[in-house]
């Protein structure tokens, strides 16, 4: 809805709530939230003017992880977790350790519809209960019917590889050839080289035997079940649906290009899925549509034209949703060294440009790098460069000189968040002689940012400075530029790709060797604050903010009269946020946030403020 109308409805809501107060029955009481604006902010999530917005009209950035690749395995029946208790443990850790406010939540078609036309409501009940564990702690969710290599049932017990996705009855009905990828060094080569994968994939897009219709019917039933079995407040936290993971044609029709395939087969599928969402009660939630898997490959021989170029204007009913992995780095052949400052500026810039052309918001719903194996030494720099590219389209070396070219802050979900990493017991393709326990237990992947230690406590497998990041989770207005120097490490080396320039000596002194972020935004004049997630490394007593709103060391708790304050994130996970309230509409505001100073003097704060004011003047 238009911003003004939404604000008026918010005022009416607050007035009504104050009148009915405690007379409401306890069953209808909202879930506990921290401040006056939280409930209204969480009440809706839409796409407006090419960005995600919450119930207050604030610009939202989704950051988090994929939960969980466990769905691709059989050991827990296609569920992300063995129990709701495990889901709750994972959700709490994701918020407190990983700094996430959202998850891409994997679902399995094979387990939702194990027999044709027969929905397993026990599976739907279990997966909904596990999804609720994330919603309860304020984590937004977008489900994904996941597939890789179409189906595990295509692969024989002795195979080098496996898949996930379609049920056994689909494979049995197709009569597909025995799988063989030839000399395939990476599981992804099966997508184009294994006829046992390419043929059923082709059949799905052509609806051979009605298998696409069956999938759409199952998806509608699943979505209707979720909508009916979550409370209204919980369902508001479900922000959309990803219909199909990493779509590819399998094989193209004679004379058909990849772009034509997107236009003639993929986009019509998304329109059908959109209709199913509407019918299932998801009309107000966008569809997170993925283009051809290879549209943005960074290996020239893999790249294919695409990006839903012929779909026209997508927003607000559709979100441009894509993945990015550095196949050059993963190959170990095409990129020998490590990632550097600005490594992925062009790749992620292409995502921003394509979303802008489609007039919708964008999300990079998978990215990451292996954490074990021959190329794992690249992971610290690849991860830093990817997060840097999500934050800004500029390298650190030029950010301070041209922040107005920074571009929108991209939403993203890292692959992946699997608390069972290294502790699996997966019979690969049902083979008791091929029990997989290490890594992610799927095709030798190992990308999980989390694991459980011997006491069952979640611990990070990557540098916390890289994962638990400062980012503008909700901006009252529009972000003009953002950067974050996380000072994450590659072994014992601290990576600093965006040092404060020598032309800002007082700012440089204030930051020192600490982490820092800078936000430039144009306020909409709302009484609701702009929110930045505060990493655990930003203890309140060590956090300094220098802004046109004031200068503060150790910001105070939030109240409506305090322009710079700290508050807990909603739902009691222990994570915190910085709240910046700028009620003057139209002005450009700036804020530097750092943990680099223990007790900065008033003179240092004033000097840094003067430097930043001069630097920010005229930026737009």
């Amino acid at each position: 809805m238009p911003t003004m109308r939404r604000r008026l409805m918010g005022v009416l809501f607050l007035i009504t709530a104050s009148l009915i107060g405690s007379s409401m029955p306890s069953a209808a009481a909202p879930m506990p939230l921290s401040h006056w604006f939280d409930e209204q902010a969480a009440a809706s999530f839409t796409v407006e003017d090419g960005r995600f917005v919450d119930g207050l009209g604030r610009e939202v950035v989704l950051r988090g992880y994929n939960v969980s690749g466990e769905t691709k395995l059989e050991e827990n029946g296609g569920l992300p977790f063995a129990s709701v208790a495990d889901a709750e443990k994972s959700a709490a850790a994701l918020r407190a350790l990983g700094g996430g406010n959202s998850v891409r939540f994997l679902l399995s078609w094979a387990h939702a519809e194990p027999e044709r036309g027969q929905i397993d409501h026990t599976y739907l009940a279990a997966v909904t209960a596990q999804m609720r564990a994330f919603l309860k702690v304020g984590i937004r969710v977008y489900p994904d019917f996941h597939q890789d290599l179409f189906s595990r049932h295509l692969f024989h017990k002795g195979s080098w590889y496996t898949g996930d996705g379609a049920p056994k009855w689909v494979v049995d009905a197709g009569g597909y050839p025995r799988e063989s990828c030839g000399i395939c060094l990476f599981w992804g080569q099966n997508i184009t080289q294994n006829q046992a994968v390419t043929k059923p994939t082709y059949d799905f897009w052509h609806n051979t035997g009605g298998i696409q219709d069956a999938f759409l019917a199952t998806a509608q039933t699943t979505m209707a079940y979720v909508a009916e079995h979550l409370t209204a407040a919980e369902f508001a936290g479900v922000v959309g649906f990803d219909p199909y993971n990493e779509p590819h044609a399998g094989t193209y029709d004679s004379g058909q290009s990849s772009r034509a395939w997107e236009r003639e087969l993929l986009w019509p599928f998304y329109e059908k899925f959109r209709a199913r969402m509407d019918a299932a009660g998801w009309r107000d939630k966008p569809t997170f549509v993925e283009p051809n898997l290879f549209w943005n490959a960074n290996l020239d021989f893999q790249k294919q034209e695409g990006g839903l170029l012929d779909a026209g204007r997508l927003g607000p009913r559709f979100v441009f949703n894509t993945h990015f992995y550095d196949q050059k780095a993963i190959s170990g052949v095409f990129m020998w060294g490590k990632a550097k400052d600005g490594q992925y500026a062009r790749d992620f810039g292409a995502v921003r440009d394509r979303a802008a052309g489609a007039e919708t918001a964008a999300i990079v719903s998978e990215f990451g790098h292996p954490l074990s194996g021959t190329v794992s030494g690249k992971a610290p720099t690849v991860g830093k460069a990817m997060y840097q590219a999500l934050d800004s389209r500029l390298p650190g070396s030029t950010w301070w000189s041209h922040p107005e070219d920074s571009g929108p802050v991209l939403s993203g979900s890292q692959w992946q968040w699997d608390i069972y990493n290294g502790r699996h017991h997966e019979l690969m393709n049902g083979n008791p002689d091929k029990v997989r326990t290490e890594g992610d237990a799927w095709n030798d992947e190992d990308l999980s940012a989390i694991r459980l230690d011997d006491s069952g406590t979640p611990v990070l497998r990557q540098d916390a400075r890289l994962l638990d990041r400062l980012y503008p989770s909700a901006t009252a207005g529009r972000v003009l530029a953002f950067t974050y120097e996380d000072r994450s490490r590659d072994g014992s080396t601290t990576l600093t790709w965006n040092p404060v320039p020598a032309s800002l000596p007082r700012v440089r002194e204030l930051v020192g060797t600490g982490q820092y972020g800078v936000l430039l935004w144009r306020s909409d004049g709302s009484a609701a604050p702009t929110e930045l997630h505060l990493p655990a490394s930003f203890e309140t007593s060590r956090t300094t903010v220098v802004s046109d709103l004031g200068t503060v060391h150790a910001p105070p708790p939030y109240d409506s009269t305090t322009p710079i304050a700290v508050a807990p994130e909603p739902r009691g996970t222990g994570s915190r946020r910085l709240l910046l309230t700028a009620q003057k509409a139209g002005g450009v505001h700036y804020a530097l946030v750092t943990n680099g100073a223990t007790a900065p003097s008033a003179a240092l704060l004033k000097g840094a403020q003067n430097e930043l004011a001069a630097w920010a003047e005229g930026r737009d």
Side-chain angles (χ1 to χ4, degrees), residues 11-27:
V11 171
L12 290 174
F13 174 87
L14 292 171
I15 293 173
T16 302
S18 67
L19 290 174
I20 60 179
S22 61
S23 65
M24 295 177 65
S26 58

Side-chain angles (χ1 to χ4, degrees), residues 599-619:
S601 68
L604 178 57
L605 293 175
K606 186 60 177 177
Q609 186 181 43
N610 290 339
E611 290 178 354
L612 287 170
W615 169 82
E617 186 176 1
R619 307 287 187 182

Side-chain angles (χ1 to χ4, degrees), residues 380-381 384 463 465 485-499 512-515:
T381 57
K384 181 179 177 73
D463 187 352
R465 298 187 185 199
E485 178 48 75
D486 56 43
R487 311 268 195 189
S488 57
R489 291 151 295 196
D490 180 8
S492 60
T493 301
T494 298
L495 302 172
T496 302
W497 290 353
N498 190 356
T513 59
Q515 298 166 290

Side-chain angles (χ1 to χ4, degrees), residues 225-247:
Y225 185 97
V226 170
E228 292 166 5
H229 289 82
L230 294 176
T231 67
E234 290 168 342
F235 189 50
V238 181
V239 297
F241 207 109
D242 184 345
Y244 197 93
N245 178 68
E246 297 183 349

Side-chain angles (χ1 to χ4, degrees), residues 384-606:
K384 181 179 177 73
M386 288 185 175
Y387 274 110
Q388 180 193 54
L390 287 173
D391 289 343
S392 169
R393 68 187 304 154
L394 298 174
S397 61
T398 61
W399 190 89
W400 283 95
S401 300
H402 303 284
E404 61 275 10
D405 297 329
S406 190
V409 181
L410 286 175
S411 294
S413 302
Q414 181 176 329
W415 186 273
Q416 67 160 327
W417 192 266
D418 173 20
I419 61 172
Y420 306 118
N421 177 270
R423 296 177 180 272
H424 292 282
H425 190 84
E426 173 73 0
L427 278 62
M428 185 174 177
N429 297 316
N431 188 343
D433 296 324
K434 296 186 74 172
V435 179
R436 295 293 180 256
T437 60
E438 296 182 354
D440 301 337
W442 192 87
N443 284 343
D444 295 324
E445 286 196 337
D446 184 14
L447 285 90
S448 177
I450 194 80
R451 66 176 178 85
L452 299 179
D453 66 14
D454 290 343
S455 70
T457 301
V459 293
L460 293 178
R461 301 180 64 230
Q462 293 177 271
D463 187 352
R465 298 187 185 199
L466 173 69
L467 300 180
D468 189 11
R469 306 178 64 79
L470 189 81
Y471 62 92
S473 54
T475 303
R478 188 172 291 267
V479 173
L480 302 177
F482 176 71
T483 190
Y484 180 51
E485 178 48 75
D486 56 43
R487 311 268 195 189
S488 57
R489 291 151 295 196
D490 180 8
S492 60
T493 301
T494 298
L495 302 172
T496 302
W497 290 353
N498 190 356
V500 177
S503 58
L504 302 172
R506 302 298 274 170
V507 175
R508 197 171 192 175
E509 180 183 355
L510 179 68
V511 169
T513 59
Q515 298 166 290
Y516 79 87
V518 179
L519 176 68
L520 279 171
W521 78 103
R522 183 178 294 280
S523 172
D524 63 3
S526 170
T530 289
E531 302 187 21
L532 291 92
H533 169 71
L534 277 179
S537 58
F538 280 69
E539 298 175 11
T540 301
S541 62
R542 288 188 59 92
T543 297
T544 302
V545 182
V546 178
S547 170
D548 63 292
L549 306 178
T551 60
V552 179
H553 179 71
Y558 173 81
D559 66 48
S560 60
T561 65
T562 307
I564 302 173
V566 169
E569 299 275 12
R571 318 292 174 86
T573 59
S575 57
R576 296 164 304 116
R577 51 188 165 160
L578 181 70
L579 303 179
L580 305 171
T581 305
Q583 296 189 25
K584 180 182 178 182
V588 174
H589 301 279
Y590 64 87
L592 168 85
V593 187
T594 183
N595 60 3
T598 54
S601 68
L604 178 57
L605 293 175
K606 186 60 177 177

Side-chain angles (χ1 to χ4, degrees), residues 18-41:
S18 67
L19 290 174
I20 60 179
S22 61
S23 65
M24 295 177 65
S26 58
M31 290 180 286
L33 295 166
S34 297
H35 292 291
W36 66 266
F37 50 86
D38 285 325
E39 185 167 352
Q40 189 183 347

Side-chain angles (χ1 to χ4, degrees), residues 179-196:
E179 66 88 10
S180 175
C181 194
I183 303 175
C184 288
L185 300 179
F186 303 99
W187 69 260
Q189 293 176 266
N190 286 271
I191 296 169
T192 56
Q193 294 179 214
N194 189 339
Q195 289 191 18

